[in-house]
């Protein structure tokens, strides 16, 4: 059997411990795996070590149980009302609860900022056992509709962040870099433009920062949001080719003229939604209305400034080459996990999403 692509190597710090799905098994048929419990133990042990040594620490705890193949450990499998995806979420919820309780038990909770969020909305096109739900929001992962881009965000810091408060601040995962530097008293680098904002005033004083959020798909700006308004310059869910094979990024949520299966440009007359009144992006504001004209004028100025200030980077996803994958990653020799790489044969990548 010829290996087309190597399984992903798993590291503990700088030591390779195996390959994903081999030493770290996921039963694709039943959805059972102990991976989240392994990640949890590693996280709890790391916190204990740092607390015992009285050292500050940064823990990025990123389990992937809700990413296909979706899995949960035996104790949670079949326990939720939401199928395998719900089981995975239930185990993540329990794990995060254990992490917070551990911080309290060590007496360091009053000096620790915990921020919970995700990198995208739930996938809704992965089949009956693998798909999640984004509630009222349109579509899901891999789209620039709200179901693909809007994520939960919870900040926890006893004694610093008032419990039970709700913020309507627009924020991005990129803001966590600037915020982390701020709360630790570290100045950001001054030799480059930092895209993220410091959210400290939002977290500690419930202030609101006036800022836009830009929605990109590859190098193309698809939409922009300012306050409650979202303006779509391009619409696209997924291709007709994918759709006709049964892959639907918006199952049960097709909106005519919005969830398009060809890439539709609306630059001259963008679609505008008020997300406070229409979080599902189903009813564009009438182009004849004064509200539309006012929002269009305001957002156009913001977009023009953004495009003027933007310094494009070198595309990193435009060429593919099987030879550069993890065939023989560092440490594979000790485990007998080194694989022979194919000859280098680069080609231009196709990134349909």
């Amino acid at each position: 059997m010829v290996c087309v692509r190597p399984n992903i190597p798993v590291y503990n710090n700088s030591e390779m411990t195996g390959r994903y799905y081999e030493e770290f098994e996921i039963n694709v048929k039943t959805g059972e795996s102990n991976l989240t419990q392994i990640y949890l133990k590693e996280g709890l042990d790391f916190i204990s070590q740092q607390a015992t040594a009285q050292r500050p620490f940064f823990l990025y705890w990123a389990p992937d149980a809700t990413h296909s193949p979706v899995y949960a450990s035996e104790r949670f499998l079949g326990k939720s009302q939401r199928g395998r995806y719900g089981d995975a979420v239930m185990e993540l919820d329990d794990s995060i609860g254990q992490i917070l309780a551990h911080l309290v038990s060590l007496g360091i909770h009053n000096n620790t900022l915990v921020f919970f969020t995700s990198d995208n909305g739930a996938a809704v096109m992965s089949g009956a056992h693998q798909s999640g739900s984004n509630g009222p929001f349109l579509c899901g992962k891999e789209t620039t509709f709200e179901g693909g881009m809007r994520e939960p965000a919870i900040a926890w810091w006893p004694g610093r962040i008032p419990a039970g408060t709700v913020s309507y601040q627009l924020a991005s995962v990129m803001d966590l870099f600037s915020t982390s530097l701020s709360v630790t008293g570290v100045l950001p680098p001054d030799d480059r433009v930092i895209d993220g904002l410091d959210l400290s005033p939002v977290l500690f004083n419930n202030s609101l920062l006036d800022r836009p959020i830009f929605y990109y798909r590859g190098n193309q700006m698809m939409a922009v949001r300012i306050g409650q308004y979202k303006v779509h310059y391009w619409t696209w869910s997924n291709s007709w080719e994918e759709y006709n094979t049964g892959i639907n990024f918006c199952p049960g949520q097709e909106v005519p003229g919005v969830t398009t299966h060809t890439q539709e440009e609306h630059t001259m007359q963008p679609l505008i939604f008020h997300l406070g009144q229409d979080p599902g992006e189903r009813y564009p504001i009438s182009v004849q209305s004064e509200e539309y004209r006012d929002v269009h004028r305001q957002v156009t100025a913001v977009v023009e400034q953004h495009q003027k200030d933007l310094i494009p980077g070198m595309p990193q996803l435009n060429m593919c080459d099987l030879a550069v994958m993890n065939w023989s990653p560092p440490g594979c020799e000790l485990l007998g996990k080194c694989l022979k790489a194919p000859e280098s044969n680069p080609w231009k990548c196709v990134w349909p999403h």
Side-chain angles (χ1 to χ4, degrees):
M1 180 178 177
V2 179
C3 183
V4 178
R5 296 172 187 266
N7 277 353
I8 301 168
V10 178
Y11 284 86
N12 185 335
N13 293 323
S14 59
E15 180 183 354
M16 183 177 172
T17 57
R19 285 188 184 271
Y20 204 28
Y21 305 168
E22 294 175 15
E23 286 71 28
F24 301 90
E25 184 182 357
I26 297 175
N27 188 319
V28 178
K29 185 176 181 180
T30 65
E32 183 177 346
S33 176
N34 207 39
L35 263 174
T36 299
Q37 293 303 309
I38 294 173
Y39 296 151
L40 174 60
K41 182 180 185 305
E42 291 291 332
L44 295 176
D45 288 349
F46 171 74
I47 293 172
S48 294
Q49 292 163 10
Q50 298 302 108
T52 300
Q54 296 186 324
R55 289 194 300 258
F57 65 89
F58 173 80
L59 172 62
Y60 173 55
W61 196 73
D64 64 342
T66 55
H67 188 290
S68 181
V70 174
Y71 61 84
S73 62
E74 182 181 11
R75 184 161 67 95
F76 295 92
L77 208 58
K79 297 300 191 294
S80 79
Q81 299 180 32
R82 301 294 183 187
R84 191 179 298 175
Y85 196 97
D87 300 342
V89 172
M90 182 180 285
E91 184 168 15
L92 296 183
D93 179 65
D94 179 83
S95 299
I96 292 163
Q98 290 191 53
I99 291 173
L100 297 183
H102 194 51
L103 294 171
V104 173
S105 71
L106 293 171
I108 58 175
H109 55 294
N110 290 327
N111 196 31
T112 305
L113 169 63
V114 178
F115 200 98
F116 172 86
T117 188
S118 179
D119 56 347
N120 47 250
V124 296
M125 71 297 190
S126 302
H129 297 298
Q130 312 288 340
S131 294
S133 168
N134 295 305
F137 305 124
L138 188 60
C139 303
K141 177 183 176 180
E142 299 192 44
T143 75
T144 47
F145 300 113
E146 289 301 278
M149 304 293 283
R150 188 186 294 205
E151 297 89 36
I154 303 172
W156 184 83
W157 191 345
R160 294 293 306 276
I161 300 175
T165 55
V166 176
S167 174
Y168 295 94
Q169 175 66 48
L170 286 178
S172 161
V173 172
M174 290 186 290
D175 298 332
L176 298 183
F177 174 74
S178 300
T179 305
S180 298
L181 294 182
S182 176
V183 299
T184 54
V186 177
L187 294 175
D190 59 5
D191 61 344
R192 71 204 71 180
V193 175
I194 304 297
D195 290 317
L197 300 182
D198 175 13
L199 297 178
S200 296
V202 179
L203 299 177
F204 304 140
N205 303 319
N206 208 11
S207 303
L208 281 177
L209 307 176
D210 184 21
R211 63 92 62 88
I213 294 288
F214 301 99
Y215 297 66
Y216 274 84
R217 213 162 165 169
N219 295 333
Q220 182 62 56
M221 190 188 73
M222 304 287 285
V224 62
R225 182 177 167 187
I226 297 180
Q228 294 282 27
Y229 291 101
K230 184 175 179 184
V231 179
H232 288 269
Y233 294 100
W234 288 83
T235 54
W236 186 32
S237 56
N238 64 318
S239 68
W240 279 117
E241 289 79 9
E242 285 183 308
Y243 182 78
N244 289 333
T245 63
I247 301 174
N248 188 356
F249 283 16
C250 310
Q253 290 184 302
E254 296 282 349
V255 180
V258 179
T259 57
T260 54
H261 292 288
T262 55
Q263 299 177 45
E264 299 292 334
E265 184 174 4
H266 307 278
T267 305
M268 300 306 296
Q269 196 172 80
L271 306 179
I272 301 180
F273 298 90
H274 187 294
L275 296 180
Q277 300 169 2
D278 179 24
E281 297 170 281
R282 286 166 172 77
Y283 308 103
I285 296 172
S286 170
V287 297
Q288 305 296 330
S289 68
E290 184 177 349
E291 181 182 19
Y292 181 96
R293 291 191 294 272
D294 289 344
V295 174
H296 189 204
R297 184 165 48 249
Q298 177 190 3
V299 174
T300 296
V302 171
V303 169
E304 288 177 349
Q305 187 63 48
H306 169 67
Q307 292 172 335
K308 178 182 177 182
D309 295 339
L310 190 65
I311 303 174
M314 181 67 68
Q316 298 181 40
L317 299 176
N318 60 344
M319 294 301 294
C320 288
D321 187 356
L322 287 176
V324 303
M325 292 185 173
N326 289 298
W327 299 97
S328 295
C332 65
E333 301 88 353
L334 293 176
L335 301 173
K337 288 289 180 178
C338 301
L339 300 172
K340 182 176 174 56
E343 289 187 13
S344 178
N345 184 26
W347 74 94
K348 186 173 175 57
C349 299
V350 177
W351 298 95
H353 310 313

